[in-house]
Amino acid sequence: MSRNCALILAAGKGRRMGESINKQYLNIEKYPILYYTIKAFSQSSCIDEIIVVVAEGEVDYCRKEIIEKYDFAKVKEVVIGGKERQHSVLNGLKSLSNCEIVLIHDGARPFVSETIISDAIFYAKLYGATACGVRPKDTIKIKDSSGFSLKTLKREMLFCVQTPQAFKYDLILECHKKVNNEGIKVTDDTMVVEQYGNNVYLYEGSYDNIKVTTPEDIEIGRHILDKLHC
Ligand code: CTP
Ligand code: MG
């Protein structure tokens, strides 16, 4: 039996949200954003263990106000994150043991579905590295520094990548250690494996799987919640 572990990242500062508390602890309707995110992985029968990565100084708050309060028994550990997202991921990865497939997910994406989670595991086992996402709805252009359009990209080839991003554990740990040692900056985890020539399979996520980033997203989140009844 494989062991599938979820790494949920909640160690950011949420600067673009502009609130005094980390955005993951803000409510959408009755519950904090991080509650919905952990609930989705807790309820999935495919997930054996969850690690939550939080900011230094927020460990007790997260334990008391989220994990103990809602009785999330699959959460095995709360780990302290790092300065950038990639440092938080590495800290989380190091805390896992006996893991075959790891799903790395933004704590700020509360509406991930069971299908997205099980597909992540399926494709990670098959291809080693995978991420979900959606096709962009807008036309995407490259803009030069003077504000003019340089060119229009082919929409059918573009893909907006979301999380979860799932990997064979040994592969992602090794690649994260390497980018860390080499001082390479990355914005997501698929870039980490691509850096060393590994292929990443992209599968269909959902337009509901938003990352709550700015205050408008809380409003959008309410509508999604209403629709999903979660
Ligand atoms: N994250 C993290 N550790 C960091 C930075 C980000 O664990 N050092 C997490 C965030 O908590 C979030 C996810 O990575 O769930 C995606 O990052 P983002 O949406 O950029 O969140 P923040 O960095 O918190 O927001 P902002 O960039 O607006 O400050
Ligand atoms: Mg950020």
Side-chain angles (χ1 to χ4, degrees), residues 103-114:
L103 290 79
I104 304 174
H105 186 71
D106 296 326
R109 283 189 201 272
F111 307 120
V112 57
S113 68
E114 172 65 21

Side-chain angles (χ1 to χ4, degrees), residues 4 7 15 23 30-32 34 70 82 84 100 104 119 128 135 150 152 165-166 182 191 202 221:
N4 307 318
L7 206 61
R15 285 202 177 90
K23 62 182 178 181
K30 276 200 261 163
Y31 301 102
L34 190 56
Y70 301 109
E84 302 297 334
E100 190 198 329
I104 304 174
D119 283 354
R135 293 194 183 279
L150 277 179
T152 303
Q165 301 188 350
E182 293 169 21
M191 278 179 74
L202 301 174

Side-chain angles (χ1 to χ4, degrees), residues 5 8 18 27 47 51 74 88 92 94 120 124 130 136 149 166 172 209 213:
C5 306
I8 298 180
N27 277 23
I47 298 294
I51 301 278
K74 270 192 202 174
S88 297
K94 283 179 177 167
T130 189
S149 170
I172 189 71
N209 186 23
T213 307

